[in-house]
Amino acid sequence: QQQVKQSPQSLIVQKGGISIINCAYENTAFDYFPWYQQFPGKGPALLIAIRPDVSEKKEGRFTISFNKSAKQFSLHIMDSQPGDSATYFCAVTRGGYQKVTFGTGTKLQVIP
Amino acid sequence: GAGVSQTPSNKVTEKGKYVELRCDPISGHTALYWYRQSLGQGPEFLIYFQGTGAADDSGLPNDRFFAVRPEGSVSTLKIQRTERGDSAVYLCASSLVHGGNTEAFFGQGTRLTVV
């Protein structure tokens, strides 16, 4: 059973545009929702994370929107840049535990 | 070192052979994690260490996989009788403490290819 579903699988956005990646989860016990960015040949790096007690968190050009009742959360990248081209993973975990369950990933390409 | 170091970066082995993958965590990090990432997929949890002990090994796929961390720092992931399906990137991560949503930092992985 896939615990977190991520879409789209791939995304092409023009420079300056908004990139949006969506995730849905099943288990309401999850209480920490991070997003990771991974460049080819590198390990994932934490980008931004949210707890379910807030509906939105913004850090620079990156925003997480969280809908607890729908069990969905999304990543918005504003003013997308070619340097943002990478694979993005949503993830879920609980209890402050680093046993992270990752989504299947979204390969983002930002074209000039 | 400044980050999590994994060696080797690439490993090609024949089916049936034994392999060891090494992880050097960030100095002072007590928690260490192993993940496996197959092509086009997200990383999958294998095992978690707090200090020297394996606190959760529920992600290990079968008894061919084993990991140790004898002195609470370096960890070795050991795979016996390798199979072609074991081919993947094996990622190691470490965090300062367990819990509190402290960030785990990943190494760049060891790409294992079983031929």
Side-chain angles (χ1 to χ4, degrees):
Chain A
Q1 180 186 4
Q2 196 174 3
Q3 296 197 61
V4 56
K5 296 181 180 180
Q6 183 173 346
S7 63
Q9 186 176 357
S10 62
L11 183 61
I12 300 175
V13 173
Q14 281 207 309
K15 178 182 175 182
I18 303 173
S19 303
I20 302 174
I21 305 170
N22 301 299
C23 279
Y25 64 98
E26 291 295 323
N27 190 341
T28 56
F30 293 129
D31 61 3
Y32 188 63
F33 302 86
W35 284 89
Y36 288 82
Q37 180 187 56
Q38 186 175 31
F39 293 103
K42 303 293 185 182
L46 179 66
L47 187 63
I48 186 172
I50 196 168
R51 295 174 186 263
D53 53 346
V54 297
S55 60
E56 186 175 283
K57 183 174 181 180
K58 183 176 180 179
E59 290 184 358
R61 297 184 294 108
F62 301 91
T63 300
I64 300 178
S65 296
F66 187 83
N67 185 329
K68 187 174 182 178
S69 61
K71 294 187 287 185
Q72 295 176 347
F73 59 112
S74 60
L75 175 69
H76 292 63
I77 306 174
M78 313 299 288
D79 187 26
S80 299
Q81 299 296 312
D84 297 331
S85 297
T87 300
Y88 292 81
F89 295 95
C90 63
V92 295
T93 186
R94 62 174 173 163
Y97 187 42
Q98 297 294 339
K99 178 182 177 179
V100 177
T101 300
F102 287 82
T104 51
T106 296
K107 187 172 183 178
L108 171 66
Q109 184 181 0
V110 181
I111 55 178
Chain B
V4 176
S5 176
Q6 292 187 246
T7 54
S9 55
N10 283 283
K11 175 71 176 179
V12 180
T13 191
E14 292 181 347
K15 178 176 178 295
K17 297 290 188 182
Y18 167 84
V19 296
E20 290 189 349
L21 311 179
R22 177 187 169 104
C23 173
D24 279 88
I26 294 172
S27 179
H29 281 195
T30 61
L32 185 146
Y33 312 84
W34 283 98
Y35 287 80
R36 178 169 71 173
Q37 186 172 21
S38 299
L39 190 63
Q41 299 296 314
E44 293 179 301
F45 172 82
L46 296 177
I47 186 170
Y48 151 64
F49 287 89
Q50 179 61 39
T52 60
D56 185 342
D57 64 357
S58 62
L60 295 178
N62 52 59
D63 60 7
R64 295 187 297 105
F65 289 74
F66 189 72
V68 296
R69 195 186 185 198
E71 298 179 356
S73 178
V74 172
S75 176
T76 304
L77 179 65
K78 307 180 180 191
I79 310 174
Q80 298 178 324
R81 304 183 304 280
T82 51
E83 300 177 357
R84 292 194 178 87
D86 298 335
S87 296
V89 175
Y90 289 81
L91 294 163
C92 176
S94 70
S95 64
L96 188 57
V97 295
H98 166 64
N101 295 323
T102 52
E103 182 178 355
F105 296 86
F106 283 83
Q108 63 184 34
T110 293
R111 181 176 297 278
L112 175 66
T113 304
V114 182
V115 297

